[in-house]
Every structure is written in C-alpha cells, then in structure tokens.
Amino acid sequence: MVSQFSLVQPTQPVSNRRGRRRAVFGGIDLGTNNCRMLVGTPAAHGFQILDSFSRVVRLGEGLYETGKLSALAMDRAISSLAICADRARRWTGDEFTGPIRLRAIATEACRQAENGVEFVHRAREATGLPLEIINPREEAELAVESCAPLLRKAGRRALLFDIGGGSTEIAWVRLDSGIRPELIGYLSLPVGVVTLSERCAGACYQSEGFFSLVEDIITMLRPFESVHRIGEEIRRGGVVMVGTSGTVTTLAGVSLKLDRYRRGLVDGVSLTRRAVDDALAEACALGRDGLSRHPCIGMDRVEFVLPGCAIFAAIHELWQAPRLMVADRGLREGMLMRLMRDMPTHKHRYNA
C-alpha cells in the first residue's frame, strides 16, 4: 500500500491569506469511543486550527465480553477514518505544493482486541491513512505534550490523567526539569468509560454501587502511589492536578453552570476542591434522565458520564490536590505539537 500522506519527507508550506507559506500538520486519534481529527499550522503560541472532526464510533463496543472488535464497530470506525482521510486530502491537492504531514493512531481498543492488528491493516488499506497502534507510555506522553502550554509556571510537579473509553492514563510529571515537562512515571488502568459502562453501568446509578467502584479503582491506583509518594508531594505543595478527559470537561461545565458547552470557558479553568465535589454530587444526583437533558452532556454521552465520574472520584479521593486544572485538549493536540517540533527527525513507526 502506498500512503497518500507524508510522514517522512518535510511538509511543503501552504499559502495563507497574506501570501506567506506555512506547513500543515494533522493528527487523527481513533479511541475506544471516538474518532477525532485535528489539522493545524504553526502559530506564535502553538498552532492555528484549520480543520477538526469528531464522531462517536464506539469501536470498543462489546469488546469486554467478546475480546474482539465487532464487524459493525469496525465498519463505523473505518467510515469515520475515511471522512478524516478525505478532509486531510483538502490540504494535499493541486492548490498546495506538498502533502500534509499527518499521524494517525489507535489506542486501547486495538491494543486489547484479538483482531486489533487485523483491523488496523484493513483500515490502512481502506483509507490510505498510516494508522498505527501506540503503547500506553506514548499515549501518556502525548497527553502531557498537549497540556505543556498550560503547565508553564504551574509548579514543581503535575499529576495528569486522561479517562478514555477503554483505559485511563495517569502521568506523574516533573515541571522544573528544563524546557519541557518530563514524564517521571505513568500508569495505564484497564478501565475506561466504555468498558466500565459495559461491565457495571447500572451500579453507577446507585450510591452503594458507585462508591464500591470507586474503592475498587483506588485499590488499582495504590501501587502507583506507593512507588511515587504523590500524596506526600501534594502535601508539600507545588503539585498541580490536570484532567484532560471528557469526564472532567463535563464536570467543569456542570460546575460553571454553562447553558451550553463552551471550550473557551473550560480549557485551562482551575476548580477548587469544593467546586469539584459539588459538581460530582450534582452529576450523581441528576440520574440518567437529568444527565441526558443537561446542555453539556446529551443523549449520546449520557451512559458514559457516571462511569467516568467513578474513575475520576477515585483519583480525586486518593490524591487530594487543592485544585483541579481542566484541559480540553488531548492526543490530537499532542501529535500536532510533537510533529511541529520534531519535523526534521520524526519517523513513521508502525508497531502493530
């Protein structure tokens, strides 16, 4: 298969409105629940977004029970990837002088599934995208990379977490080590909003079941705490807790009483521990019907909110940071920032 996108050769610049010429970069993140794409060009403070796409594909639907990606889930994912490929080609046509520099990744669903590698090869053939499965460490690194602009002058350390569809990534980060945040340690928990909703969605709507899940997840986190002594570092001060997941941005929307979700009001906001506790309590009290009517949630995400809240509540309880920084950014932004920084040396790595 010949890729229609460039990963190895430097990107040729494209024209902008003022006649200058800039390179174009793209990142595609195929997760357990969503397929997302971001296209951007370097700007003074990071990058300027040229195009974005997000669609719920539920690639991991049924994976917990069967161990495999279902035919329907794979079809949905490939259909969305094909849309991403078509939109990316807008930046590679005759109007421009070179191909977009693009990376496409798959995460936990493809790591877990018996047929994950087979699906990736099929998706590559069907779309022309250079889709690759990344490991949990790189997933944590990309999440940290995406949040780096928010972490400048944030303190000594950061505890960053990303509650995904199939897994939850925890990153323990040194901030006073030099130019960029440095990953000290990471943990990938095999629980996410999709897998947890399939295993015990009903339990999340009952107080006893919810807190039982929280305790189970705390037990999974304790070995990481024992190694890194994060709680002790929090008590010393200078540790910022950062959440990058949809669960956390939803809780921020609840806390801020938004009439509709607004990224500009959520990304980078700092919530007190009391505000976080109140938002968690409100989300749990709303129930399925109330959550589905909430302007920051809606029917397509309602079944994942409380499973995500259970995972977050465990992190929040074990590591009692005084404030939570909310980041509406993730792997796509991390890929773009890394591609822009490493353009001369980045190589295409396919580890499936």
Side-chain angles (χ1 to χ4, degrees):
M1 179 193 69
V2 178
S3 174
Q4 301 171 55
F5 306 94
S6 172
L7 278 172
V8 179
Q9 298 300 320
T11 304
Q12 297 295 323
V14 301
S15 301
N16 68 6
R17 296 175 187 174
R18 297 182 180 180
R20 292 176 298 178
R21 304 176 73 76
R22 297 179 292 177
V24 179
F25 300 83
I28 297 172
D29 168 23
L30 178 63
T32 302
N33 195 47
N34 295 282
C35 177
R36 300 183 175 99
M37 180 185 74
L38 199 63
V39 176
T41 188
H45 301 287
F47 56 83
Q48 175 190 349
I49 296 174
L50 301 175
D51 192 13
S52 65
F53 171 82
S54 181
R55 176 172 291 180
V56 175
V57 296
R58 301 194 183 193
L59 179 61
E61 186 175 51
L63 177 60
Y64 174 73
E65 293 183 355
T66 67
K68 294 183 177 181
L69 305 175
S70 73
L72 286 175
M74 290 189 288
D75 287 345
R76 288 194 299 264
I78 289 175
S79 176
S80 289
L81 288 171
I83 293 172
C84 292
D86 287 342
R87 291 173 74 147
R89 288 188 188 98
R90 297 176 185 176
W91 306 99
T92 65
D94 294 338
E95 181 181 351
F96 308 113
T97 58
I100 181 175
R101 187 173 177 80
L102 179 143
R103 192 173 185 204
I105 62 171
T107 55
E108 186 67 10
C110 290
R111 288 196 295 259
Q112 285 189 4
E114 294 176 20
N115 57 344
V117 172
E118 175 187 340
F119 163 74
V120 166
H121 287 298
R122 177 185 161 195
R124 288 164 64 100
E125 291 291 339
T127 66
L129 292 171
L131 186 65
E132 59 179 318
I133 302 171
I134 63 169
N135 60 44
R137 180 184 178 93
E138 184 168 11
E139 189 170 351
E141 289 173 341
L142 288 171
V144 171
E145 186 102 43
S146 73
C147 293
L150 298 177
L151 297 176
R152 296 190 182 105
K153 301 180 181 180
R156 299 181 301 108
R157 301 284 188 272
L159 179 64
L160 185 147
F161 62 91
D162 181 2
I163 303 169
S167 66
T168 296
E169 315 306 322
I170 311 285
W172 181 229
V173 183
R174 179 180 291 113
L175 301 179
D176 53 4
S177 60
I179 299 174
R180 292 193 301 272
E182 177 186 353
L183 188 65
I184 302 171
Y186 74 97
L187 173 68
S188 182
L189 293 182
V191 290
V193 298
V194 174
T195 51
L196 204 56
S197 69
E198 291 187 354
R199 286 164 54 185
C200 42
C204 291
Y205 292 95
Q206 302 170 358
S207 179
E208 183 178 347
F210 182 88
F211 288 108
S212 177
L213 285 174
V214 172
E215 288 301 318
D216 288 345
I217 296 165
I218 288 176
T219 299
M220 299 170 70
L221 294 169
R222 286 198 186 280
F224 192 69
E225 160 63 16
S226 297
V227 171
H228 295 287
R229 304 289 183 182
I230 296 167
E232 183 177 320
E233 292 284 353
I234 290 173
R235 288 188 290 273
R236 286 178 55 198
V239 176
V240 59
M241 180 179 282
V242 184
T244 70
S245 66
T247 295
V248 178
T249 57
T250 295
L251 287 172
V254 171
S255 178
L256 296 172
K257 310 297 183 186
L258 299 182
D259 57 359
R260 60 182 177 84
Y261 185 78
R262 300 177 187 179
R263 183 183 186 274
L265 297 178
V266 170
D267 184 47
V269 71
S270 179
L271 301 177
T272 65
R273 189 168 183 86
R274 174 64 182 273
V276 171
D277 288 337
D278 289 347
L280 271 171
E282 182 176 346
C284 290
L286 282 171
R288 185 184 295 273
D289 290 341
L291 290 169
S292 67
R293 292 192 298 270
H294 195 282
C296 293
I297 300 171
M299 283 299 298
D300 61 334
R301 296 180 55 240
V302 64
E303 64 189 278
F304 304 128
V305 174
L306 289 190
C309 285
I311 298 170
F312 170 65
I315 296 168
H316 181 66
E317 177 64 25
L318 180 60
W319 293 307
Q320 300 199 5
R323 302 189 73 89
L324 170 70
M325 180 183 290
V326 180
D328 187 349
R329 53 187 71 200
L331 304 187
R332 294 178 301 170
E333 289 85 353
M335 280 186 280
L336 258 63
M337 294 175 70
R338 181 175 285 185
L339 285 170
M340 290 175 187
R341 189 185 71 242
D342 299 340
M343 185 172 71
T345 58
H346 181 81
K347 301 297 181 181
H348 177 202
R349 290 168 294 168
Y350 178 61
N351 57 359

